[in-house]
Amino acid sequence: MKIEVMINNKKIAMEIECDEFLADTLRRYGFLSVKKGCDTGSCGLCTVWLEDKPVLSCSILSARVNGKQITTIEGVQKEAREFADFLVNEGAEQCGFCSPGFIMTVLAMKKELKNPTEEDIVHYLTGNLCRCTGYVGQLRAIKKYMGVV
Amino acid sequence: MKVVNSAISKIDGMDIATGKPVYTDDLDNNSLVIKILRSPYAFAKIKNIDTQKAEKLNGVECILTHKDVPNIRFTTAGQSYPEPSPYDRLILEEYVRYVGDEVAIIAAVDEKTALKAMKLIKVDYEVYKPVLDFEKAQEHKSIVHPEDDLHVNFDIGTNKEKNIAASYKTEVGDVEAELKNSEVVVEETYYTQAQAHGMMETYRAFSYMDHNGRLTIVSATQIPFHVRRIVARALQIPKSKIRVIKPRIGGGFGGKQTASVEIFPAIVTLKTGKPAKIVYDRKETFSCTTSRHAMRIKVKIGSDKEGNIKAIDMQALSDTGAYGEHAWTVFSVAGHKTLPLYNQAKAVRYMGNIVYTNKMTAGALRGYGVTQGTFALESAINELAAKLNIDPAKLREKNIIKEGETNPILGGSKEGQPVVLASCTLDRCIEKGKKLIGWNEKYRGKDMGNGKVRAVGMAITMQGSGIAEIDTASAEIKLNDDGFYTLLLGATDMGQGSDTILAQMGADVLETTMDKIIVHTADTDISPYDTGSYASSTTYVTGNAVIKACEDIKNKILENAAKLSDISKEDLMFDGTFVKKTNEENVLSLDEIAQRLSTGEGKNQLIGVGSFGGETSPPPFIAGFAEVEVDKESGKIDLIDYVAVVDCGTVINPKLARIQVEGGLVQGIGMAMYEDVRYSDAGKMQTNTFMQYKIPCRKDIANITVDFESSYEPTGPFGAKSIGEVVINTPSPAIANAVYNAVGVNVRSLPITPEKILIGLLEKNN
């Protein structure tokens, strides 16, 4: 079936299977920042924005996003690099495979939460797994980025 | 040192963080998609496979069964040849030895077609009684490997009729006599579970035939050179016909030290001539690759009443699952890298068997047996401290190995020539760790008055830096025509930052800046040989090779500058930018040298080369301290604080080293408290998704403090030792010790769950 989606502010017509998930469609159309890590909606690697809200693209049927707006990290490179600078400065990107989904969640959190506490931050990001860093380095980066003392 | 020991950022950091397409699956183009039909039984013989219907399906390119593959046994363990792992595998075989073992390879134009074809394959099995309990494997009626052609490269004690994949023994002194003479003996049995790697990028590889009719494999691997050799043997084609390229890797932790997937696209490409790829989903990654070896370790320690340790005996049993990947080596390391910690003991022994069972194969995982050995030995040391009523930190201070001392089983020791420990600040690591966690104030514990008790516990550990006399690496550095360098390496950066720290070392030797060095890793056609990134070897082994290569090219720069300037080499020096006269007057800039050499005038491409292999394996050390809070009613345990102080010699990059420690500690905390690869009664893995297999999430991790007590390792690059593996070993015994100090319950089997603590509390109260 055919759908039309705004991806990173560009209208794209896509041919999809009716049972195809958004993460697969996005990768098929060249948005290779989108990674898959679990197949069960529990790792957060495939996080993109649907209408500006972070969602797990491995758990959303592509048919459902017809006519909607999708943002991947390719579409917010400037903001992503701003945060990535803090992340890389802490050495907390390590293998980097979880970073795109993680950064999309962090950027969404910055828009959504006003003056978050450390606890708020950890809660918001609990769905984003990382096996390399042990999380505390990522938290240091986020606190510096968010201005949380 | 200008660049070494500075906290610079990873050279690939910004690109990998911001989602650039640099990983294996991002680089593939129009490949056939491979799916594997897997055994539903833990142990069976395939009586018949009917693939006719499946083959007729539109879009199916090839279906391979055991009748279609070379009949030569091999191992997928990524180790130097001759591998000490048994050659006990075929690509596909009429026997299936665990739930998930490969039955048929299906390649089709897309995933949907491949899966549809898979459902059309009919298999008749003769089902056997599986060997599932590793403690009963040796006496079991079923023989996991009944074949006659199982091959071992040298004697590792294989006895397949008893399901023994390998056995091992090492002994120094008379253990029985020393134990007899000991005033106090602790004897306990500990169990460590199978652990999953849980790296975020699952296993994947793709392959194609190049313009010269050579098979090219692009793989997320830690061992490109071993993959080339393994595939060549399994497919019976010359190594010269294979090229292995490693792009960016999304985590490895030792999992990608086993060639779990590369053979499948390789054989499909050979059979069809077409590009082919395989991407394991998470379930396959959990249940059809490798995990940590589960072990049972009985520890006996004898000491006098003052806590002077006389003897340590460790008898172990290891579960290698269906195949013997890394079986013998993981096992031996569990003793070899734990016992030297207590070198005051007059006698030590470590021995036991590694058995086959009908479960997923075990393999390499960060810590590589030392993690298992450390849990057992350190727990026993803590139990000895409790029995003697001595502070466990003080017991260690009395018995541990110190700089300048020897031990006959330290890596690289030969009979009668024990290696001398050239660098060690373990005593200072313990001292600093105690301060950081507030040991003296918090030991043994404090009742919080709300049904909860807080307490601290500790453990120490060591690892190695590469494998003595086996691991080797080469480096090449090329001076390009515009005065910058390309550093060619065969090592794998899987996220830990080895490309960066190796370039740091090069930059220091060449007195240049990081932006002047391009790092290229790894492509077996281009890169110099490297055994691979495992065994904590990259900083130490490859690092030493980098230094040699850079010194070599520095010498060549001076030689060639002498020729170009007609000044004697002895009167010249190089400061990284200029070749100068010894009176400091500039003679030639590096740019000019490079340009003139690359033209008709110089006709000389400068390439520096260096190779290194360690005669010893200098151990890094770590002291770990846990503070826990235990709920006496429910057994619930919260980890409040974890402190680790590391001696990894010179810290090459404090930022990256710190993250390595934090990440390894959390993986160790996962093993200590949550992670457990479990099987059903029929042998099916139950923990095959992140829903069932729980790795730590952000909420599980409270405070983590990391610090360093640097030493200087004379054989190491800039004095460095390894760091990658040692960091995972202390959490299990330290947390177990903290729980004991809180509520008096010794949990001797991992993971340390609330249920086990509660059962212990109930037993204690009765």
Side-chain angles (χ1 to χ4, degrees), chain A residues 17-20 24 27 32-43 45 73-74 77 80-103 118-119 121-140 142, chain B residues 7-10 12-23 25-27 111-112 195-202 204 248-251 253 280-283 366 494-497 655-656 658-660 662-664 666-667 670 675 689-691 693 695-699 701-704:
Chain A
E17 298 278 337
C18 58
D19 58 352
E20 191 172 348
D24 298 319
R27 282 195 68 83
L32 296 171
S33 71
V34 181
K35 307 294 186 221
K36 283 169 61 177
C38 70
D39 316 311
T40 45
S42 44
C43 77
L45 263 66
I73 201 168
E74 283 95 344
Q77 279 289 296
R81 289 185 81 83
E82 261 169 41
F83 171 65
D85 216 27
F86 285 92
L87 192 67
V88 173
N89 234 328
E90 287 296 330
E93 79 286 16
Q94 284 243 354
C95 87
F97 203 73
C98 71
S99 294
F102 170 64
I103 290 181
E118 193 173 308
E119 209 180 355
I121 293 170
V122 168
H123 181 74
Y124 197 100
L125 292 165
T126 297
N128 289 81
L129 294 180
C130 166
R131 187 61 151 171
C132 292
T133 64
Y135 305 115
V136 284
Q138 291 185 341
L139 185 62
R140 286 194 296 272
I142 293 166
Chain B
I8 57 171
S9 295
K10 256 173 58 188
D12 51 354
M14 284 305 279
D15 280 348
I16 59 174
T18 54
K20 299 295 182 291
V22 291
Y23 302 89
D25 192 35
D26 304 338
L27 306 174
E111 189 177 4
K112 233 179 190 172
Q195 182 186 24
H197 305 85
M199 75 298 274
M200 286 300 134
E201 182 201 38
T202 60
R204 54 202 54 201
R248 293 289 94 193
I249 309 294
F253 310 116
Y280 271 12
D281 61 21
R282 185 54 67 181
K283 272 189 184 166
R366 192 183 209 169
M494 55 211 131
Q496 79 277 36
K655 180 156 69 188
L656 303 185
R658 183 182 186 187
I659 292 286
Q660 274 286 80
E662 290 171 349
V666 168
Q667 212 168 19
E675 299 177 33
T689 71
F690 278 130
M691 308 286 254
Y693 187 87
I695 66 168
C697 71
R698 269 162 233 277
K699 281 193 175 166
I701 300 307
N703 197 33
I704 287 181

Side-chain angles (χ1 to χ4, degrees), chain B residues 36 39 74 90 116 175 178 221 252 304 319 341 351 442 506 543 598:
Chain B
I36 309 277
S39 168
F74 62 99
L90 296 174
K116 209 169 169 186
V175 170
E178 291 297 336
T221 180
D304 63 18
D319 184 354
L341 282 169
M351 60 185 284
K442 290 174 181 168
S598 64

Side-chain angles (χ1 to χ4, degrees), chain B residues 134 293-296 316-321 327 330-331 353-356:
Chain B
F134 80 116
H293 290 79
M295 288 174 78
R296 178 192 74 195
L317 183 73
S318 173
D319 184 354
T320 191
V330 162
F331 188 88
N353 295 327
I354 308 100
V355 292
Y356 284 121

Side-chain angles (χ1 to χ4, degrees), chain B residues 722-743:
Chain B
S722 80
I723 192 162
E725 292 185 276
V726 72
V727 292
I728 200 172
N729 299 335
T730 59
S732 295
I735 291 168
N737 183 220
V739 168
Y740 172 78
N741 287 332
V743 291

